[in-house]
Amino acid sequence: MKQVTLPSTRKPLFSKEIKLLMYGFGDEVDVREDTAELMEDYLVDYISTLTVRAMSFTAKPKAADFLRVLRHDRNKVSRAQQLLRMDKELKSARALLSEPMAEDTPK
């Protein structure tokens, strides 16, 4: 029999974001607090479990370690790789924007 745990008494970390995601995926505008808290508990538990599994490979897991943990779920690996590519593109775009223009320098 599965053990049922009550929501923890910790301060909500992602309450606002979870409510917005739930509304975006079809829930009501005013999401119930207990529902959002339960979703946050699931989220924190999933991230904790994923991190512990990634730490079984190394003490300071990197993106590759998380991909290794997710390797049996094609959809999650594909989405993670897409997000990593997008992050790399955003970093390079920011670097281009922060560099001074060559034409703007006085001669």
Side-chain angles (χ1 to χ4, degrees), residues 53-102:
R53 290 178 62 197
M55 288 177 71
S56 69
F57 303 118
T58 180
K60 292 185 177 181
K62 297 197 176 357
D65 300 314
F66 287 99
L67 290 174
R68 186 174 176 189
V69 170
L70 297 172
R71 70 186 176 272
H72 297 296
D73 190 333
R74 278 206 215 127
N75 292 333
K76 289 179 184 170
V77 169
S78 175
R79 179 66 175 147
Q81 289 172 334
Q82 180 185 20
L83 290 170
L84 288 169
R85 281 191 303 271
M86 192 182 320
D87 183 55
K88 188 182 284 187
E89 289 174 15
L90 287 172
K91 284 180 182 176
S92 65
R94 283 189 202 112
L96 288 174
L97 289 175
S98 66
E99 290 179 2
M101 294 274 199

